[in-house]
Short mmCIF file of all heavy atoms in Angstrom, two decimals:
data_model
loop_
_atom_site.label_atom_id
_atom_site.label_comp_id
_atom_site.label_asym_id
_atom_site.label_seq_id
_atom_site.Cartn_x
_atom_site.Cartn_y
_atom_site.Cartn_z
N THR S 304 82.95 -6.87 -39.71
CA THR S 304 83.11 -7.29 -41.10
C THR S 304 84.27 -8.28 -41.18
O THR S 304 85.36 -8.00 -40.68
CB THR S 304 83.40 -6.07 -41.99
OG1 THR S 304 82.35 -5.13 -41.84
CG2 THR S 304 83.53 -6.47 -43.46
N ALA S 305 84.05 -9.47 -41.78
CA ALA S 305 85.09 -10.50 -41.91
C ALA S 305 86.22 -9.98 -42.78
O ALA S 305 85.99 -9.35 -43.80
CB ALA S 305 84.50 -11.78 -42.53
N ARG S 306 87.45 -10.28 -42.37
CA ARG S 306 88.61 -9.76 -43.09
C ARG S 306 89.15 -10.81 -44.03
O ARG S 306 89.44 -11.92 -43.64
CB ARG S 306 89.68 -9.34 -42.09
CG ARG S 306 90.84 -8.57 -42.72
CD ARG S 306 91.93 -8.33 -41.70
NE ARG S 306 92.91 -7.38 -42.17
CZ ARG S 306 93.81 -7.64 -43.11
NH1 ARG S 306 93.82 -8.82 -43.70
NH2 ARG S 306 94.69 -6.73 -43.47
N SER S 307 89.31 -10.42 -45.26
CA SER S 307 89.88 -11.33 -46.25
C SER S 307 91.39 -11.35 -46.11
O SER S 307 92.01 -10.35 -45.73
CB SER S 307 89.49 -10.85 -47.66
OG SER S 307 90.24 -11.56 -48.62
N ARG S 308 91.99 -12.47 -46.42
CA ARG S 308 93.46 -12.55 -46.38
C ARG S 308 94.09 -11.66 -47.42
O ARG S 308 95.27 -11.37 -47.39
CB ARG S 308 93.95 -13.99 -46.55
CG ARG S 308 93.60 -14.59 -47.89
CD ARG S 308 94.13 -15.99 -47.98
NE ARG S 308 95.58 -15.96 -48.01
CZ ARG S 308 96.36 -17.03 -47.77
NH1 ARG S 308 95.80 -18.17 -47.43
NH2 ARG S 308 97.66 -16.94 -47.84
N TYR S 309 93.27 -11.22 -48.38
CA TYR S 309 93.78 -10.34 -49.42
C TYR S 309 93.26 -8.92 -49.23
O TYR S 309 93.09 -8.16 -50.16
CB TYR S 309 93.37 -10.84 -50.80
CG TYR S 309 93.92 -12.22 -51.08
CD1 TYR S 309 93.08 -13.32 -51.06
CD2 TYR S 309 95.28 -12.40 -51.32
CE1 TYR S 309 93.57 -14.58 -51.29
CE2 TYR S 309 95.79 -13.67 -51.56
CZ TYR S 309 94.93 -14.77 -51.54
OH TYR S 309 95.41 -16.02 -51.76
N ALA S 310 92.97 -8.54 -47.96
CA ALA S 310 92.46 -7.20 -47.66
C ALA S 310 93.50 -6.15 -47.99
O ALA S 310 94.69 -6.44 -48.05
CB ALA S 310 92.06 -7.10 -46.19
N ALA S 311 93.05 -4.90 -48.15
CA ALA S 311 93.96 -3.81 -48.49
C ALA S 311 94.97 -3.60 -47.40
O ALA S 311 94.72 -3.85 -46.22
CB ALA S 311 93.16 -2.52 -48.73
N LYS S 312 96.13 -3.10 -47.77
CA LYS S 312 97.22 -2.90 -46.83
C LYS S 312 96.90 -1.85 -45.79
O LYS S 312 97.54 -1.78 -44.76
CB LYS S 312 98.47 -2.48 -47.59
CG LYS S 312 98.99 -3.55 -48.53
CD LYS S 312 100.25 -3.07 -49.23
CE LYS S 312 100.79 -4.14 -50.18
NZ LYS S 312 99.84 -4.51 -51.24
N SER S 313 95.90 -0.95 -46.02
CA SER S 313 95.57 0.12 -45.09
C SER S 313 94.59 -0.31 -44.01
O SER S 313 94.12 0.48 -43.24
CB SER S 313 94.97 1.31 -45.85
OG SER S 313 93.80 0.90 -46.52
N SER S 314 94.23 -1.63 -43.95
CA SER S 314 93.28 -2.10 -42.96
C SER S 314 93.79 -1.81 -41.57
O SER S 314 94.98 -1.94 -41.29
CB SER S 314 93.05 -3.61 -43.12
OG SER S 314 92.56 -3.89 -44.41
N VAL S 315 92.85 -1.45 -40.64
CA VAL S 315 93.22 -1.06 -39.28
C VAL S 315 93.08 -2.25 -38.35
O VAL S 315 92.05 -2.94 -38.37
CB VAL S 315 92.33 0.09 -38.79
CG1 VAL S 315 92.69 0.47 -37.38
CG2 VAL S 315 92.51 1.27 -39.73
N HIS S 316 94.05 -2.51 -37.50
CA HIS S 316 94.01 -3.58 -36.51
C HIS S 316 93.81 -2.98 -35.14
O HIS S 316 94.30 -1.90 -34.85
CB HIS S 316 95.31 -4.38 -36.52
CG HIS S 316 95.52 -5.12 -37.82
ND1 HIS S 316 94.97 -6.33 -38.09
CD2 HIS S 316 96.22 -4.76 -38.94
CE1 HIS S 316 95.32 -6.74 -39.32
NE2 HIS S 316 96.09 -5.78 -39.85
N THR S 317 93.11 -3.71 -34.29
CA THR S 317 92.87 -3.22 -32.93
C THR S 317 94.03 -3.55 -32.02
O THR S 317 94.10 -3.03 -30.92
CB THR S 317 91.60 -3.84 -32.36
OG1 THR S 317 91.70 -5.26 -32.39
CG2 THR S 317 90.38 -3.42 -33.18
N GLU S 318 94.95 -4.43 -32.42
CA GLU S 318 96.09 -4.79 -31.59
C GLU S 318 97.33 -4.05 -32.07
O GLU S 318 97.43 -3.65 -33.24
CB GLU S 318 96.35 -6.29 -31.65
CG GLU S 318 95.17 -7.12 -31.15
CD GLU S 318 95.46 -8.61 -31.22
OE1 GLU S 318 96.57 -8.99 -30.85
OE2 GLU S 318 94.60 -9.36 -31.66
N THR S 319 98.33 -3.96 -31.19
CA THR S 319 99.56 -3.27 -31.53
C THR S 319 100.37 -4.11 -32.51
O THR S 319 100.55 -5.31 -32.29
CB THR S 319 100.38 -3.00 -30.26
OG1 THR S 319 99.58 -2.27 -29.35
CG2 THR S 319 101.65 -2.23 -30.58
N THR S 320 100.86 -3.55 -33.59
CA THR S 320 101.66 -4.28 -34.58
C THR S 320 103.13 -3.95 -34.40
O THR S 320 103.49 -2.81 -34.09
CB THR S 320 101.21 -3.90 -36.00
OG1 THR S 320 101.36 -2.51 -36.17
CG2 THR S 320 99.76 -4.30 -36.24
N VAL S 321 104.01 -5.02 -34.59
CA VAL S 321 105.44 -4.81 -34.38
C VAL S 321 106.28 -5.33 -35.53
O VAL S 321 107.46 -5.05 -35.58
CB VAL S 321 105.90 -5.48 -33.07
CG1 VAL S 321 105.23 -4.83 -31.89
CG2 VAL S 321 105.61 -6.98 -33.10
#
Side-chain angles (χ1 to χ4, degrees):
T304 303
R306 189 186 192 288
S307 169
R308 63 179 292 163
Y309 299 106
K312 296 181 179 60
S313 60
S314 301
V315 179
H316 295 276
T317 57
E318 299 180 44
T319 304
T320 58
V321 296

